[in-house]
């Protein structure tokens, strides 16, 4: 069980890191602000979710697991709010 949990952790955390890297590349490479915000928020939320999922088998108990999930949920809420503000600001500052 421990080897299986460790293998799951390696796969999930690696996949999460890949999505973080993809989001960062999208932030640099995409042409406009809306595309950049989209790439960054979607890929980072998925990457953080995979990392949290990978760390759950190694959490010290139910409370530690709940803290990991709470951190992921709070990151999703803040990323959504910040993405909305950035997109609204970019839309308002776009030349007409």
């Amino acid at each position: 069980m421990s080897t299986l949990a460790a293998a799951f952790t390696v796969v999930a955390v690696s996949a999460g890191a890949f999505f973080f890297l993809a989001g960062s590349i999208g932030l640099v490479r995409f042409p406009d602000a809306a595309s950049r915000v989209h790439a960054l928020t979607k890929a980072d939320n998925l990457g953080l979710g995979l990392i949290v999922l990978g760390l759950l088998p190694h959490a010290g108990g139910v409370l530690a697991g709940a803290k990991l999930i709470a951190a992921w949920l709070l990151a999703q809420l803040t990323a959504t709010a910040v993405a909305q503000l950035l997109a609204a600001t970019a839309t308002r500052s776009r030349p007409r």
Side-chain angles (χ1 to χ4, degrees), residues 3 9 11 26 44 48 57 59 62 73 82 86 91:
T3 304
T9 297
V11 169
D44 284 354
L48 183 60
V62 175
L73 291 175
V82 169
L86 286 173
T91 302

Side-chain angles (χ1 to χ4, degrees), residues 5-81:
F8 175 74
T9 297
V10 168
V11 169
V13 171
S14 297
F18 171 76
F19 278 104
F20 269 115
L21 179 65
S24 299
I25 290 172
L27 177 66
V28 174
R29 300 283 307 214
F30 283 166
D32 59 348
S35 298
R36 290 177 180 165
V37 168
H38 177 77
L40 192 63
T41 56
K42 300 296 182 197
D44 284 354
N45 279 332
L46 182 58
L48 183 60
L50 285 171
I51 289 174
V52 166
L53 188 65
L55 293 177
L56 279 178
H58 297 285
V62 175
L63 183 60
K67 286 179 183 178
L68 285 171
I69 292 172
W72 178 49
L73 291 175
L74 287 174
Q76 280 190 323
L77 287 173
T78 56
T80 303

